[in-house]
Amino acid sequence: MNKPKMNVNIASMELINPIIGASGTFGNGLEMEDFLDLNKIGGFCSKGITWLPQEGNAGRRIAETPAGLLNSIGLQNMGIVEFIKNIVPQFRNKTDCKLIVNVSGKNVEQFENMAKMLELPEVAALELNLSCPNLHKDGIVMAADPITTSQVIIAVKKVSTKPIIVKLSPNVTDIKIIAKAAENAGADAISLINTVLGMAIDIKTAKPVLGNITGGLSGPAIKPIGVRMVWQVAETVKIPIIGLGGIETLDDCLEYLMAGATALQVGAANLYQPDICEKLAQELEDYCSLKGIQDYKFLIGKANPNFRGEIFYGQD
Amino acid sequence: MNKPKMNVNIASMELINPIIGASGTFGNGLEMEDFLDLNKIGGFCSKGITWLPQEGNAGRRIAETPAGLLNSIGLQNMGIVEFIKNIVPQFRNKTDCKLIVNVSGKNVEQFENMAKMLELPEVAALELNLSCPNLHKDGIVMAADPITTSQVIIAVKKVSTKPIIVKLSPNVTDIKIIAKAAENAGADAISLINTVLGMAIDIKTAKPVLGNITGGLSGPAIKPIGVRMVWQVAETVKIPIIGLGGIETLDDCLEYLMAGATALQVGAANLYQPDICEKLAQELEDYCSLKGIQDYKFLIGKANPNFRGEIFYGQD
Amino acid sequence: MNEKIIESCQIISNEEIFPNYFKLKLEATKISKLAIPGQFVEIKCSLEREHIIRRPFGFHSIEKNANLISIIYEVRGSETLALSKRLSGEELSLIGPLGNGFPIQGKVPLLVAGGTGIAPLSCLATAFAEKKVDPYFFYGCNDHKAANYFAKKPPEGELNIATMDGSFCFHGNVVELLNSYLPTSKVKFDVVYTCGPQLMMQKTYEWAKENNLTCFASMERVMGCGFGVCLGCTLPILKDGKTSNSCVCKDGPVFNGEEIIWDE
Amino acid sequence: MNEKIIESCQIISNEEIFPNYFKLKLEATKISKLAIPGQFVEIKCSLEREHIIRRPFGFHSIEKNANLISIIYEVRGSETLALSKRLSGEELSLIGPLGNGFPIQGKVPLLVAGGTGIAPLSCLATAFAEKKVDPYFFYGCNDHKAANYFAKKPPEGELNIATMDGSFCFHGNVVELLNSYLPTSKVKFDVVYTCGPQLMMQKTYEWAKENNLTCFASMERVMGCGFGVCLGCTLPILKDGKTSNSCVCKDGPVFNGEEIIWDE
Ligand SMILES: Cc1cc2nc3c(=O)[nH]c(=O)nc-3n(C[C@H](O)[C@H](O)[C@H](O)COP(=O)(O)OP(=O)(O)OC[C@H]3O[C@@H](n4cnc5c(N)ncnc54)[C@H](O)[C@@H]3O)c2cc1C
Ligand SMILES: Cc1cc2nc3c(=O)[nH]c(=O)nc-3n(C[C@H](O)[C@H](O)[C@H](O)COP(=O)(O)OP(=O)(O)OC[C@H]3O[C@@H](n4cnc5c(N)ncnc54)[C@H](O)[C@@H]3O)c2cc1C
Ligand SMILES: Cc1cc2nc3c(=O)[nH]c(=O)nc-3n(C[C@H](O)[C@H](O)[C@H](O)COP(=O)(O)O)c2cc1C
Ligand SMILES: Cc1cc2nc3c(=O)[nH]c(=O)nc-3n(C[C@H](O)[C@H](O)[C@H](O)COP(=O)(O)O)c2cc1C
Ligand code: FES
Ligand code: FES
C-alpha cells in the first residue's frame, strides 16, 4: 500500500500531519528539539503571549491530581514585542513545523494590535486564547461570553490575513453556543478544550496547594470532557476542530478524531514524555497503514453520524 | 481526650456524622447493609426518584476513564408511588441513618407534587436533582438556569416542611450565580457536584461506548473540580454545603471540609469499595482524636479565609 | 437475599494455562463457604487508582473444605492484564458471592460453553457430579490450545469439543457440533445450561426451544458495582408479556432463556 | 544549551540505606556521559497513569566509565514511595541531565548539606577531589541513623556532622555546628555551596555573606517538566537590581545566593 496521507489543511495552513504541541506545554518549540524532530510534527502553539510582559502567578504553580495536573502559571511570558524580536525569527527556516502563536489579550484592542504585529511570514496562524477574565463581566472569562468572543474574532479578522483559530474554554454551560458564535464571527478553526478550572488543598497546611488558589486541570482526567465537547461542537459548526485534553496515546488520538476533530493538540503529556508528539504522529501513520486507511482524514467524525464538518481531502 | 464531636445539624436534620452515601451509588440503602452498618453513617440519598417509573437508557451504561467512571443510567427508577409504598416504610425504624430522598422532576409541578407526597416521617430531607434537561430551554439542564432553579425551590418550600437540599450541576459557567439563586429562593443546603458531562468512544467499533452517547463523569478525576466549586460556593452562600465528587480517602474528606463543606457525600467509591462510607466516618473521627480536634466542624472552611458559612456547633 | 462480603484473599497461584488465559486460585475462607456455581466475584485487579472499577468473574471451582476458589480469565483489556501480573502470595480484594447461581435441576443436563464460559459451567458440572448426575458437556473454542487444556483437565461428565479452526476434534462452532452429535446419540437431555458469547448462547437457546427444553443462560454486561446499587448492568427482561430492565448482577447473571430478548 | 535526553535505564540496585532513605543505582549509558554535579534527572517513578508527572532528583554519583549514576532519595509522598518499590532489573525512564550544575571554583570549598542535600553535594565533593581540591563538608541531619550511614560512607574531604537530636556528634543544626567549629579552626574557605532545606540554605548564605564568601545554593521547586517549557518552577531572582521569575529547572537549580530573595 502507499503511505497513508497524513497532511491536512486548516484554513490556509498546511500541516504535514495533524499533531500539534499545545500552548504552554511546548515552550517556544526550540526547547523541545532535544527530544524530538520538530519537522516530524504538524506544528505547535507558542506559550500564551500578552501585550505586555507578565511575571505570572506567585507561589506554587503545579500540583498533581488523580490522572491530572493542575497549573496556575498565570501567563508568564515576555510580551509581544520581545516575542517578535527574539522568538519569531528563529522560525524563518523551519518550514514543516508550523508556528501558531497563542495570543491572549485583556480586551479587543489588545487582540487587534497583537494580530497586526503578527502579520509576519514566520507565523502560520494565530490561536486566540480568550481565557482571560472579562473585565466588564465580573471575572467570567471572555470565552464564556458569545458576544465578547465574536467581537474579538471580528476585530482580529479585519486586521489579520492569518488563519484564526479560536481556543475555547470548557468552563461554560453550553459550548455549542460559543462555538457557533465563533464560527459566525469568522473563525477559521476552533481548538478545544483549554483547562478545566479546579483546585487542590494541602491538608497538612490547610491552605490551597497553588499560590493562585485555583488552577487549570489538564491531563488524562479531563479526556472524557474534551471528547464530549469536540463531539458537541462537531455537530454544530462546519469549520475544522482541533481537539485536545488528555491526549497521551494513539487511542486517545483516534477517539478525538472519531468524535470529529480534524487535528489534535497534545498538552500535559509533553511535560512527562517530551517526545510524545513525534511518536503519536508516527503511530497514527502506522495505524492507518496497518488498517489500510489511505488518508487519516477518513477517521474524522467517523463515530458521529451528525458530524457537520467539511473535510478537504486535497488533490491526489 | 473526649471523643470528638462528629454530629452535625443541616437545617433541621441531625446527622450522627457528616458522611452521606450519594444518590445513585447507594441503591436504596438496604442493599448496602451487606457491607456496612447503616447506623454508623450520617445518611444516604436515594436513587433519583421521578414522577413516573423510568426504564432508563438503553445499551451500555458504564465506562471507565482515567481515574473516573462515566455513567448514563438515565434515572431508571420505580417512580414516586412505588418508592413511597415499598421503600420508605423500611426506614420506619432506622433512626440514625437519615433517608434523604433524591427527587428529579421534569418541571416545577412534578417537584411540587413529589415534595407533597414525601411529607412522611421516615423522610429526613429532600435533595432536589435539577439535572433534567429544561424542556423550555433547548436541552440545557434546569440546574444551569438560576431562574428555573429558584422556581423549583420556591414551589417545593411552599409545600414541604423538610429540609431542602439543592444538588447543583458542575456543567455551568458560573456556579456562584446558581448557588446564590438557590439560597435566595430558600434552599436549606446545597450539595455539589453532580457528574461532569463527558463521553468516550470505542475506537474498535468507532461508536460511542455508552448507549446514550454522553454520560456523567464521576470519581477521583473530578475531585479538583468539586473542591473548586465547593470553595467558590462557600465564599458565596451562608447555608451549609454538602461536598462531593471523587471522595475516596480521608484526605479527600479533609480537602472538601477545609474548602468549606459542612458534610460530605461519597458516590462512585461505594461501587468499588462498598464499606467506604463507614470507614471514612471512622477515619475522620480517628483523625480528629489524633489531632486533638474536639469537633470535626472546626475543620469546615479552614483553608478558606473568605468562608461565609455559619456553623452551628450545638450545645455542649 | 444472599449474603455478600468483602474479603481480602491470598493468591495461591495465577498461571497462564494456555495463551492469554489464566487460572487464578485464591484462598477465600468466607466467600468459598457461601458460593454456589453461576455466582461471581468482583475483583480489584490492579492497585492503581487509574482503574477504579472492579471486574466480575464467575467461579470456576469452589472448594468449601479447602477454603479455596478459582476463576479462569482471558486477558481482554487493562484490568485483566493487570490481574495476570499479580503474584502468588499477594492479596486481592474480592466482593462476593454475587448474583444468583444456576438452578440445579434435571437428571440429564446439557452444558454448552464457549470461550471462558467453560469456567462457570465446569463449576456447575462438579455440582451435578456431587449429586450423582452426569452432565453432558459441549465446549466450543478457537483452537487446539484451549481444547488441549480442557481435554487434559476435563470437567465432570462427558466432554465434546469443537474448535473454530478445526485444529482439535470437531471443526466448527459448538452448536454445529451439537447438531451433528444428536442424531447419532440416544441421550435425552432434560435441561440446558449455557455460558459464552451472546450469539452462541442465543443459538443454544433456540436449539433448546425447538427441543422443548428449559435453557438457562449466564449473561454478561459491563458492571459498575456487581451488587445492585448502580443500575449499570441492566438487560431488558420479558416477564408476563412485559419488558422491563433487570440487573444482570442482582437478578442474574443466570436467566431463563425465555425471558431474554435475544434480538435486542 | 546543554544536551538532554530521554533514556530508559536499568535499575542496578535500589536499597534502603537508612530508614526512609534509599539509594538508587542505575545504568545510564548516555546520561552519565553528559552529567555534571548539581544537575538532576526527572524520573517516571510509577507505571501508573494516576500519577502522571515525573519527579526530579539530583545526581549523587556519576561514574562515566562504568555508565552508572546514582541518586539518594527520601520517601516523601506517593511517587517516592512507588520508586522505593521498583526492583533491580526493571527499567526506569529518565530525562536528563537537566539544569546547570555547580560552578566549580575556589581552592578551599565549604559544602553545607542538610537532609537529602548531601546527595548532590557528595557528587560535587567527588568532582573537587578529582581536581585535587579537598572540600570541607558539613552535614546536618535528624539523628544517628543518617549520620551513621554517611560517617561510614563519607563523601570526599573532611566531614563534620550535626544531628538535631544530638544522637551523633554535634547536637544542633549544621549552621550552629559551623559557628562552633570556625573559631577553633584555621581553615580559610574561599567559596560555599549549600543544598538542603530552604531555611538551612538561607542561614548558610547569611553566614557566607557575613564572611564575604560567594555562596551557591541548589534550590527546590515543584516541577512540571524539568526542562523549561511549563514555567511551573519559577523563583523570583534578583539581577541588576530587578526582580524577575527564573526557572529553577533551566536557570538553576544552582543559583548564586546573592540573587535569591530569601525572605520572599
Ligand atoms: C457475571 C460475569 C462473569 C464473568 N466471568 C468471567 C470469567 O469467568 N472469565 C473471564 O475471562 N471473564 C469473565 N467475565 C468478563 C470479564 O469481566 C471482562 O473480561 C473483564 O471485565 C474485562 O476487563 P478488562 O479491564 O481486561 O477489559 P476492558 O479494557 O475494561 O474492556 C474489555 C471488554 O471487557 C468488558 N468489560 C469491561 N469492564 C467490564 C465490567 N466492569 N463488567 C463486565 N464486563 C466488562 C467489555 O465488554 C469491554 O469491551 C465476566 C463478566 C460478567 C459480567
Ligand atoms: C532539582 C531538584 C532536585 C531534587 N533532588 C532530590 C534528591 O536528590 N533526593 C530527594 O530525596 N529529593 C530530591 N528532590 C525532591 C523530590 O523531587 C521530591 O521529594 C519528590 O518530587 C516528592 O515526590 P512524591 O510523589 O514522593 O511526593 P508528593 O506526594 O508529590 O509531595 C511531597 C512533597 O514533595 C515535593 N514535590 C512534589 N512534586 C514535586 C515535583 N514535581 N518537583 C519537585 N518537588 C516536588 C513537594 O514539596 C511536596 O510537598 C529534588 C527536587 C528538585 C526540584
Ligand atoms: C503548564 C501549562 C500551561 C499552559 N499554558 C497555556 C497558555 O499559555 N495558553 C493556552 O491557551 N493554553 C495553555 N495551557 C492549556 C493547554 O494548552 C491545553 O489546552 C490543556 O492543558 C488541555 O490539554 P492537555 O490535557 O493535553 O494538557 C496550558 C497547560 C499547561 C498544563
Ligand atoms: C452510577 C451513578 C448513578 C448516579 N445517579 C444519580 C441520581 O440518580 N441522582 C443524582 O442526583 N446523582 C446521581 N449520580 C451522581 C452522584 O450522586 C454524584 O453526584 C457524582 O457521582 C459525583 O460524586 P462521586 O465522584 O463521588 O461519584 C450518580 C452517579 C453514578 C456514578
Ligand atoms: S452492576 Fe451495579 S447494579 Fe448491576
Ligand atoms: S519545571 Fe517546567 S519550566 Fe521548570
Side-chain angles (χ1 to χ4, degrees), chain A residues 90-162:
Chain A
Q90 305 190 321
F91 288 86
R92 197 149 295 161
N93 302 317
K94 307 235 176 243
T95 46
D96 278 350
C97 176
K98 302 297 180 195
L99 167 63
I100 301 169
V101 182
N102 182 278
V103 284
S104 192
K106 290 214 167 91
N107 51 43
V108 176
E109 294 70 44
Q110 288 192 351
F111 273 108
E112 200 177 331
N113 288 334
M114 287 195 276
K116 275 188 210 153
M117 292 169 75
L118 289 165
E119 283 292 297
L120 302 168
E122 296 88 347
V123 175
L126 306 189
E127 182 176 57
L128 310 184
N129 175 2
L130 297 152
S131 57
C132 263
N134 187 327
L135 298 176
H136 304 293
K137 301 215 172 161
D138 189 32
I140 294 297
V141 298
M142 299 169 100
D145 178 21
I147 298 171
T148 315
T149 302
S150 304
Q151 285 167 346
V152 171
I153 297 166
I154 291 168
V156 168
K157 281 301 284 184
K158 273 207 191 113
V159 298
S160 177
T161 61
K162 306 287 176 189

Side-chain angles (χ1 to χ4, degrees), chain B residues 66-89:
Chain B
L69 170 69
L70 276 173
N71 87 78
S72 65
I73 310 302
L75 279 175
Q76 174 177 338
N77 80 98
M78 60 188 77
I80 185 84
V81 174
E82 183 88 354
F83 180 78
I84 288 176
K85 202 172 107 197
N86 290 335
I87 305 296
V88 173

Side-chain angles (χ1 to χ4, degrees), chain C:
Chain C
M1 212 152 48
N2 305 323
E3 193 186 338
K4 320 170 184 67
I5 50 162
I6 311 177
E7 186 172 11
S8 177
C9 301
Q10 201 178 32
I11 301 178
I12 304 298
S13 62
N14 187 16
E15 284 164 14
E16 187 158 18
I17 51 178
F18 49 91
N20 226 30
Y21 284 74
F22 288 74
K23 182 169 172 179
L24 171 69
K25 205 168 199 152
L26 295 162
E27 182 165 303
T29 314
K30 295 185 204 149
I31 289 176
S32 63
K33 296 286 181 298
L34 301 166
I36 61 167
Q39 290 186 305
F40 64 98
V41 285
E42 283 273 1
I43 303 185
K44 183 88 192 79
C45 299
S46 65
L47 298 173
E48 304 180 23
R49 286 213 310 177
E50 188 205 331
H51 295 283
I52 60 177
I53 296 299
R54 290 170 184 256
R55 297 294 192 270
F57 301 94
F59 292 107
H60 170 58
S61 68
I62 304 164
E63 298 176 57
K64 293 186 195 296
N65 295 332
N67 297 326
L68 298 176
I69 61 159
S70 73
I71 65 164
I72 289 180
Y73 63 95
E74 182 189 354
V75 173
R76 283 213 231 166
S78 56
E79 285 297 272
T80 44
L81 182 66
L83 188 57
S84 73
K85 296 195 172 138
R86 304 294 300 268
L87 305 172
S88 35
E90 289 185 67
E91 299 273 328
L92 282 180
S93 170
L94 266 66
I95 301 180
L98 299 168
N100 305 306
F102 293 108
I104 297 188
Q105 62 187 58
K107 291 274 157 272
V108 194
L110 168 63
L111 278 50
V112 185
T116 53
I118 194 169
L121 287 185
S122 305
C123 195
L124 177 64
T126 307
F128 272 117
E130 279 166 6
K131 293 196 152 198
K132 307 269 180 282
V133 172
D134 264 346
Y136 289 76
F137 211 114
F138 284 71
Y139 171 49
C141 54
N142 287 326
D143 57 29
H144 64 281
K145 288 170 200 143
N148 232 322
Y149 176 82
F150 288 106
K152 280 190 192 139
K153 293 188 179 269
E156 298 287 339
E158 184 191 308
L159 176 65
N160 293 283
I161 297 181
T163 51
M164 294 302 288
D165 70 352
S167 60
F168 192 102
C169 293
F170 184 83
H171 185 171
N173 69 40
V174 71
V175 185
E176 289 163 353
L177 168 62
L178 212 52
N179 282 324
S180 84
Y181 171 97
L182 290 171
T184 65
S185 138
K186 287 189 201 97
V187 194
K188 273 242 165 261
F189 304 119
D190 56 4
V191 59
V192 183
Y193 300 87
T194 183
C195 184
Q198 175 130 353
L199 193 65
M200 181 219 89
M201 293 198 288
Q202 176 171 1
K203 290 256 177 319
T204 304
Y205 163 73
E206 283 162 1
W207 177 90
K209 198 177 156 89
E210 274 166 33
N211 293 275
N212 271 319
L213 295 172
T214 302
C215 174
F216 296 103
S218 180
M219 305 300 286
E220 226 185 84
R221 273 293 173 284
V222 173
M223 292 184 172
C225 64
F227 41 87
V229 304
C230 76
L231 308 181
C233 63
T234 51
L235 192 70
I237 285 291
L238 202 73
K239 254 190 183 152
D240 311 323
K242 282 203 301 195
T243 315
S244 72
N245 280 327
S246 282
C247 285
V248 169
C249 73
K250 204 178 70 176
D251 308 315
V254 179
F255 292 92
N256 187 326
E258 289 290 328
E259 301 170 356
I260 292 164
I261 299 165
W262 290 103
D263 296 307
E264 226 197 307

